[in-house]
Amino acid sequence: MQVSGTAVGFVPRKVSMAVVNSLREYFSSPDFRVPAVYVYGASGSGKSRLGLYAAEKYRDLMQSGSRSTSNRPAKPKAIVGYLYMNMRSVDALVSEIEDHKVPDDRKRQDKAIAEKLLVEHLVARNLGSDAVQYAQKKLSDVLVEWGKALRTTETEHVPVHLIVHLDEVQSRPWASAIMTLAIRSTNDVVTQHKAGVRVIPVVTGLSTA
């Protein structure tokens, strides 16, 4: 989808709801083999705010579960997390590719770097732990642990949905592409799938128009 550039102070509702509807459709997909959500637009169109607004709205929708007969709080349909990354600050993957033919070794190496960066961000902002102890852990394993940390006894079997917002992707095209690949690849890991933890990247950046 594309957003016009009008230096707006808010995100147009139809745009944010389009993202929310995509998230709802993708997260509920049985096989969960889905693409990222891409939103491009001109400067000042509210793209940077879009990811957070859409995540908050999606969280509100997932919180509106059904109440039990004992008048306990409604059990959520899913526990929703949000992680923001400005791709301008991703220096570890700053080296861009020279053409469209990427060697497999380069792809594997950069994917490993992307997974490590995601682990560092997730640990620092959500688990409140020293990232050093997670340095050798796989991204999928950290996501499973993060999901367990979010759950309570009442929400033990509730799915956990993480929205990773990659912003300003036009500044780091290759880094953004490999980061998206790293995120999507975790959803194929059996342990993460069984743990009910799903991740979708929301990708925002400047359009060429």
Side-chain angles (χ1 to χ4, degrees):
M1 62 194 70
Q2 185 154 336
V3 190
S4 60
T6 55
V8 297
F10 60 90
V11 178
R13 176 177 173 77
K14 65 178 182 180
V15 176
S16 60
M17 287 309 300
V19 174
V20 170
N21 290 334
S22 294
L23 290 171
R24 182 163 49 183
E25 176 186 352
Y26 293 165
F27 273 125
S28 63
S29 173
D31 56 4
F32 197 60
R33 300 186 66 84
V34 297
V37 178
Y38 294 91
V39 183
Y40 295 101
S43 178
S45 59
K47 300 181 303 300
S48 295
R49 293 182 291 275
L50 176 62
L52 178 58
Y53 288 1
E56 290 177 339
K57 182 61 179 177
Y58 180 72
R59 178 200 61 199
D60 292 343
L61 288 174
M62 294 299 101
Q63 287 293 334
S64 59
S66 57
R67 290 186 176 274
S68 64
T69 56
S70 58
N71 291 324
R72 291 180 179 178
K75 187 175 182 179
K77 299 173 184 176
I79 300 171
V80 180
Y82 173 78
L83 184 66
Y84 175 85
M85 295 186 69
N86 189 318
M87 296 306 296
R88 291 183 185 276
S89 63
V90 180
D91 295 329
L93 290 167
V94 69
S95 179
E96 291 294 331
I97 57 175
E98 296 181 358
D99 53 42
H100 295 293
K101 296 181 179 179
V102 185
D104 290 339
D105 288 345
R106 167 71 185 275
K107 186 181 295 186
R108 283 193 294 268
Q109 178 183 356
D110 284 3
K111 182 171 173 284
I113 294 173
E115 289 179 355
K116 184 177 180 179
L117 289 171
L118 286 163
V119 166
E120 292 175 355
H121 276 71
L122 190 64
V123 170
R125 300 185 187 186
N126 291 275
L127 292 176
S129 304
D130 186 354
V132 175
Q133 63 179 301
Y134 290 90
Q136 302 304 319
K137 288 192 174 184
K138 296 180 179 179
L139 175 59
S140 58
D141 292 336
V142 176
L143 285 167
V144 170
E145 186 170 338
W146 170 75
K148 289 180 180 178
L150 288 180
R151 292 185 173 110
T152 64
T153 303
E154 291 76 14
T155 60
E156 182 178 358
H157 301 293
V158 173
V160 175
H161 295 167
L162 174 61
I163 299 165
V164 180
H165 181 190
L166 305 179
D167 193 23
E168 302 291 351
V169 295
Q170 77 284 344
S171 62
R172 299 281 194 273
W174 170 246
S176 301
I178 206 69
M179 190 76 74
T180 301
L181 175 62
I183 294 169
R184 293 180 58 195
S185 296
T186 66
N187 294 304
D188 293 328
V189 178
V190 175
T191 53
Q192 183 179 323
H193 177 72
K194 289 183 177 179
V197 180
R198 291 183 166 187
V199 190
I200 288 182
V202 172
V203 182
T204 58
L206 291 178
S207 65
T208 56

